Amino acid sequence: MLNDDEVRQLARVHELLAGEIAAAAGWISFERFMELALYAPGLGYYSAGAHKLGVGGDFTTAPEISGLYGACVARQCAEVLRALGGGSILEIGAGSGRLAADILARLESLGQLPAEYRILEISADLRERQRRCLEQRAPHLAARVRWLDRPPDAPFDGIVLANEVLDALPVVRFRWYADRVEELGVALRDGRFEWASRPASPAVADECRRLRATAGAGPDDAGGRNGAEGDTGARDTGAGDTWDDGYVSEYCPRLGAWTQSVTGALRTGAVLWFDYGLPRRHYYLPERHEGTLICHFRQRAHDDPFLDPGLQDITAWVDFTRLAEACRPAGFELAGFCTQALFLAGTGIDHEMRVIAGDDDHVFARLAQQARQLMLPGEMGERFKAMAWLRGIDVPLRGFALQDLRHSL
Ligand SMILES: C[S@@+](CC[C@H](N)C(=O)[O-])C[C@H]1O[C@@H](n2cnc3c(N)ncnc32)[C@H](O)[C@@H]1O
């Protein structure tokens, strides 16, 4: 059941989307639909007030599951800050603020606090929640936190990190045929949004051909021997050259420009991306013929983006090969790519469990359960990946020491 505020917001988002569709002669791209549903000023899912994360929200992320996650990310950050002799952290999309609070608390105990912890957050509502969370969990460190309205211009040294943000960037959705490519967009029929296709523009069609070619072109072992395929059903042959007629998937055209805008000012240091996704050759497997769109509403995941736009999260898995294509030309060196499970093992989650639990067996048992949720292959362990880029320094990263999937990109 929607409350009155939600019903009103739904009506306004519907009106906005319907107006755009009418103004565009009955069709808008899915990329535009997703952009408006998530980011329309004052109305989109991330721009308007909604509970979103954690218990009572729409989805639960790794930092919400356990403080172990932030502790492990902090240990990775400490290693980089130590090598740099200090620096700042910029977190993009900080959700409830839990990750920031956990990172800062652990960095303090490691004697490696950043000069400043900056947060670039698009949602005014979540900014407020982050402020409250930091005041509550780490009041003496809250003064180190600064919210930014836009990516920093001034060069800085340190770390840029983002957990589960890339998956929210709007995607182009396409349908492939041997003799043509269609772009899937959105039309309105009897007041309801529905999928509608049209011939893809030359730019979209070219990009789909490039994806198909590069999805089938990677090295033979593409993670298969490292257990990276997890629930992906990956095989050791390329994927893209086997798309059947009617194959539907998506790609994120703005990934490059967006990542460059948020990492551009990093002079020396590391960028850490955490998200669910795959290397391209696993992403575009023939059996994943309906793409990877996932929507979240009140802890329920489904694949219908037209259900209550503005009130639900809409996401797509990250093509980590595309992310690599975006970061490499920007002067970053790919320093690591692995599953979340192996990142947490490499950063010492077992040690962190002992640190947090002390002698308390009950706390240890609770943490062990949380660690299973973060690490088991059927939970978050393999679907989620960690990727690290370095600029201007060369430092071994403990989080990526146990598994190296860079060759699979
Ligand atoms: C799925 S939540 C993840 C939150 C948090 N990182 C966590 O793991 O719990 C996505 C977060 O990114 C923010 N966000 C989404 N798109 C953004 C953008 N383009 N720029 C900055 N923040 C963004 C959202 O408001 C939200 O805080």
Side-chain angles (χ1 to χ4, degrees), residues 39 46 52-53 59 61-64 91-96 99 120-123 126 130 162-165 167-169 258 313:
Y39 298 113
Y46 284 114
K52 301 181 181 78
L53 288 101
F59 51 84
T61 59
E64 300 292 323
E91 182 183 354
I92 325 283
S96 70
L99 181 60
L120 180 63
E121 171 56 63
I122 204 161
S123 156
L126 285 178
Q130 291 154 18
N163 191 68
E164 280 203 52
V165 181
D167 60 75
L169 296 178
W258 188 84
D313 196 14

Side-chain angles (χ1 to χ4, degrees), residues 120-282:
L120 180 63
E121 171 56 63
I122 204 161
S123 156
D125 174 57
L126 285 178
R127 269 187 188 212
E128 249 334 282
R129 194 160 154 197
Q130 291 154 18
R131 216 182 290 278
R132 286 198 305 273
C133 173
L134 283 152
E135 285 295 344
Q136 213 172 36
R137 288 182 172 268
H140 62 296
L141 299 174
R144 263 172 215 268
V145 182
R146 187 157 66 92
W147 280 264
L148 307 183
D149 293 323
R150 63 189 70 81
D153 293 325
F156 73 99
D157 303 318
I159 296 160
V160 178
L161 64 91
N163 191 68
E164 280 203 52
V165 181
L166 298 170
D167 60 75
L169 296 178
V171 292
V172 165
R173 197 150 160 87
F174 65 86
R175 186 185 285 135
W176 171 272
Y177 294 93
D179 61 350
R180 67 186 191 283
V181 182
E182 293 174 350
E183 180 169 0
L184 294 177
V186 185
L188 200 60
R189 189 206 297 217
D190 300 331
R192 301 174 81 92
F193 299 115
E194 64 175 17
W195 290 108
S197 61
R198 61 166 46 176
S201 67
V204 169
D206 283 352
E207 180 58 11
C208 293
R209 280 186 213 103
R210 188 183 79 86
L211 289 175
R212 181 172 178 273
T214 51
D220 284 346
D221 57 354
R225 286 201 292 271
N226 291 289
E229 68 277 28
D231 60 351
T232 65
R235 42 174 82 160
D236 282 347
T237 58
D241 53 352
T242 50
W243 294 350
D244 285 334
D245 274 359
Y247 184 87
V248 170
S249 194
E250 63 282 314
Y251 66 89
C252 180
R254 58 187 81 188
L255 187 69
W258 188 84
T259 53
Q260 280 170 35
S261 78
V262 296
T263 62
L266 184 73
R267 185 173 41 204
T268 314
V271 180
L272 303 171
W273 302 112
F274 305 95
D275 224 310
Y276 39 93
L278 294 163
R280 179 167 300 153
R281 63 203 320 272
H282 295 177

Side-chain angles (χ1 to χ4, degrees), residues 361-378:
D361 291 345
H362 292 295
V363 174
F364 192 86
R366 199 181 67 232
L367 291 173
Q369 172 55 28
Q370 293 169 356
R372 279 195 285 277
Q373 230 179 314
L374 296 174
M375 296 178 79
L376 284 178

